[in-house]
Amino acid sequence: ESNDIASHRRVIDVSGDGANNAGQPVLEARDEVLARGVTINGLPIMLNKAMEFYDIDHLDRYYKDCVIGGPAAFIVPVFDLRH
């Protein structure tokens, strides 16, 4: 908001291999960003099967339900690094 760059669209691309584990709750942070008119896309990294108690079995669902938002928001799950 303070970088003096004008744009018709503002987007944040979020990638990660797990749920939010630091900072404010993810739903609050997402809602604050969406209220400013910013779209959030998600790239959940799903290379390994969930094994620890804090891992999420369906990280793509978590991103869809809790992370992305705004006009034309999307998720692209990453299952393999070969492509």
Side-chain angles (χ1 to χ4, degrees):
E1 293 173 337
S2 63
N3 64 13
D4 296 327
I5 297 172
S7 175
H8 68 279
R9 188 167 185 239
R10 296 184 298 166
V11 178
I12 297 172
D13 293 325
V14 176
S15 65
D17 62 357
N20 181 38
N21 60 7
Q24 75 184 93
V26 70
L27 293 174
E28 289 177 15
R30 180 198 62 190
D31 291 347
E32 286 178 20
V33 170
L34 295 178
R36 293 184 176 137
V38 178
T39 296
I40 306 168
N41 298 322
L43 299 139
I45 311 298
M46 302 175 64
L47 302 176
N48 301 312
K49 183 168 178 55
M51 298 179 74
E52 301 293 335
F53 74 92
Y54 51 80
D55 289 338
I56 295 178
D57 205 17
H58 298 283
L59 188 60
D60 52 343
R61 293 180 191 170
Y62 170 79
Y63 268 62
K64 183 177 181 283
D65 295 340
C66 300
V67 177
I68 71 166
F74 63 85
I75 65 166
V76 177
V78 176
F79 296 105
D80 190 328
L81 294 179
R82 294 180 281 172
H83 302 284

